[in-house]
Amino acid sequence: SMLVLFSQAIFSLLWGFIGDRKGYTVILKWIALFYILAGGIALWATDSLVFLIAFILIGANYNGIFIATTNLSIHYAQPRTVPIYIGLTCLFLVPFSGFGAMGVGLLADIFTDTSVFVLSALGSAVGLFLLFKNENTEGKSLRALKGNNPQQ
């Protein structure tokens, strides 16, 4: 738990820095990659100390999800609908954060911690594929594509 909290604190600063400079979709790609790495580490770890690296990677992702999704809502929404999009984004993340943690704990009890990491890695691989497949190559927001960007 301490490693998860420590990595959350450190990576929150890093995710904000990266998101402001490279875009918040980049954070989602890194998060998916970290989940895949955590699953691989958990699958092949033979020592409990190596397994802790997987927990550090998972902790790094917790705040990154909130940072990326909230800022992507700001980036892609129409200016007048930004509060609605942020509210809906947070509303839809809550069930996954709360019930997801309970579901993962139940899966870990039924199976093993390693199986949960591997399942997460598989889901993240699908998510990473979809992020690359549906990527906006120009890096423009929907506002810019529609001509509704006040900064133009």
Side-chain angles (χ1 to χ4, degrees):
S1 294
M2 188 170 144
L3 284 175
V4 171
L5 291 173
F6 178 75
S7 63
Q8 279 181 313
I10 298 300
F11 275 90
S12 288
L13 300 171
L14 185 63
W15 292 141
F17 182 81
I18 290 171
D20 287 342
R21 282 151 187 78
K22 299 291 183 183
Y24 290 93
T25 307
V26 171
I27 294 174
L28 292 176
K29 291 174 184 175
W30 276 104
I31 289 170
L33 183 64
F34 278 11
Y35 276 125
I36 294 167
L37 288 172
I41 289 169
L43 185 61
W44 289 292
T46 56
D47 184 27
S48 61
L49 290 176
V50 176
F51 201 81
L52 292 177
I53 296 170
F55 284 104
I56 291 170
L57 292 172
I58 296 298
N61 292 340
Y62 283 162
N63 290 346
I65 291 169
F66 289 104
I67 289 169
T69 55
T70 303
N71 283 290
L72 283 170
S73 297
I74 294 168
H75 184 69
Y76 285 111
Q78 297 288 335
R80 68 181 185 285
T81 60
V82 167
I84 294 168
Y85 275 85
I86 291 174
L88 288 173
T89 299
C90 292
L91 180 69
F92 290 131
L93 284 174
V94 166
F96 292 104
S97 299
F99 294 121
M102 289 187 277
V104 166
L106 182 63
L107 286 174
D109 284 344
I110 294 170
F111 301 105
T112 63
D113 289 343
T114 303
S115 62
V116 172
F117 277 103
V118 171
L119 183 63
S120 175
L122 292 174
S124 294
V126 170
L128 188 60
F129 169 76
L130 292 173
L131 275 170
F132 277 109
K133 183 178 182 285
N134 297 312
E135 185 173 30
N136 178 0
T137 55
E138 291 88 27
K140 295 181 180 177
S141 68
L142 292 178
R143 270 188 268 165
L145 292 173
K146 293 178 183 176
N148 296 327
N149 193 347
Q151 296 175 345
Q152 287 184 338

